[in-house]
Amino acid sequence: MYSSWLYRKIHGQKARLAIVSLFVLALGAGEAFAKPLTVDNIVARLQERYNTIKSIEADFEQETTLPALNQLRLAEGRVYFKRPGCMRWDYLRPDKQEMVTDGKTLWIYISAEKRAYRCDAQAYLQSQLTMDFFLGRGDFKKDFVIVMAPDDKKARGEFYILTLLPRYTHPQVREIKLWIKKDTFLIDSILSKDHFSNTTLLHLKGQRINGPLDDHIFAFSPPKGTEVIDR
């Protein structure tokens, strides 16, 4: 028969082993429920997320690399999207420019040149695959072959990273890379590469989703003295 001391020692050890076993089982259960999402899962949730978005307002940083010219161009400003088809880009640095559309007419205004270009919005937007994500026009699985991209320094466990290849040859886009926030399923950054290996990296900061955006934001009237060129 065990002494009271030995009895307490053995049963105390058993109790600790039981607690450890329960903890291990709990971890195993957590791992079972936290299996990594597949590409199809991520794309489905991304599509669902953007199907519910009516408007987006954000600051942006844009980095364009032109290898053939050995140039790097940086820009920043504020962008607005509103479904269906309304968009406004206010470039604040390095030069002030505006790109505005109400879904019918697209204006590109260059302040320093006092010149505004006017063109058909539908024709322009059809060539801009990356804008479809924000205007609610895109169908990710229908428009692209999508694969998981390897993690990079930017990810740090915060993003799902996808590479999108257009299903049909596109004149301007060869490949798109998306950084998708794991907690919100919002697109944080887009890297677009064309057939000449030129790249444009767009980063959105402080996104405000479904906030009120008045229609006047997407109206444009050329300032007095502006040269208007139709395209």
Side-chain angles (χ1 to χ4, degrees):
M1 196 168 183
Y2 298 122
S3 68
S4 59
W5 175 85
L6 184 59
Y7 182 87
R8 290 195 303 272
K9 190 76 172 176
I10 291 173
H11 281 266
Q13 185 69 18
K14 285 182 178 179
R16 282 190 290 274
L17 286 172
I19 291 171
V20 170
S21 297
L22 286 172
F23 183 69
V24 170
L25 286 172
L27 283 178
E31 289 174 359
F33 285 110
K35 288 181 179 178
L37 295 181
T38 66
V39 170
D40 285 346
N41 294 147
I42 295 169
V43 172
R45 291 184 63 175
L46 183 65
Q47 186 75 55
E48 181 182 4
R49 181 71 165 110
Y50 278 85
N51 284 347
T52 66
I53 291 177
K54 303 301 181 185
S55 68
I56 302 173
E57 181 180 354
D59 293 322
F60 72 86
E61 295 175 347
Q62 182 176 299
E63 180 180 307
T64 301
T65 305
L66 307 171
L69 300 176
N70 194 29
Q71 287 186 2
L72 175 64
R73 300 175 180 174
L74 304 177
E76 58 184 272
R78 191 153 186 84
V79 64
Y80 309 81
F81 298 99
K82 184 177 181 181
R83 296 173 65 178
C86 294
M87 179 174 68
R88 181 185 186 96
W89 296 79
D90 287 330
Y91 284 83
L92 304 177
R93 284 172 289 275
D95 303 308
K96 289 188 176 181
Q97 298 182 29
E98 298 173 39
M99 184 167 63
V100 185
T101 179
D102 57 4
K104 297 178 181 179
T105 303
L106 174 79
W107 291 91
I108 301 174
Y109 174 64
I110 303 174
S111 178
E113 299 178 3
K114 294 186 177 180
R115 185 174 296 163
Y117 297 90
R118 178 171 54 194
C119 58
D120 179 72
Q122 290 302 315
Y124 177 85
L125 292 174
Q126 284 176 2
S127 69
Q128 302 296 311
L129 284 180
T130 52
M131 295 303 99
D132 285 347
F133 305 142
F134 304 107
L135 295 173
R137 298 154 46 100
D139 185 323
F140 292 97
K141 293 189 71 173
K142 179 182 177 182
D143 298 336
F144 299 95
V145 174
I146 305 174
V147 296
M148 191 78 79
D151 284 349
D152 58 19
K153 292 180 180 179
K154 175 178 171 57
R156 297 180 181 176
E158 298 178 21
F159 302 95
Y160 296 112
I161 310 174
L162 300 180
T163 298
L164 286 66
L165 305 173
R167 290 190 180 274
Y168 306 99
T169 301
H170 191 276
Q172 296 184 16
V173 178
R174 187 179 82 187
E175 176 185 311
I176 295 171
K177 190 174 179 181
L178 299 181
W179 285 263
I180 303 158
K181 291 280 288 184
K182 289 184 176 181
D183 56 347
T184 63
F185 273 85
L186 292 174
I187 296 172
D188 177 88
S189 301
I190 299 178
L191 178 67
S192 178
K193 181 181 292 187
D194 69 14
H195 299 282
F196 301 98
S197 295
N198 300 316
T199 62
T200 298
L201 176 62
L202 177 70
H203 172 52
L204 299 177
K205 303 186 300 181
Q207 296 186 58
R208 187 175 73 151
I209 304 300
N210 293 334
L213 290 180
D214 196 278
D215 288 343
H216 82 271
I217 293 175
F218 307 100
F220 178 81
S221 295
K224 187 177 180 180
T226 299
E227 178 187 4
V228 175
I229 300 173
D230 288 310
R231 285 187 167 180

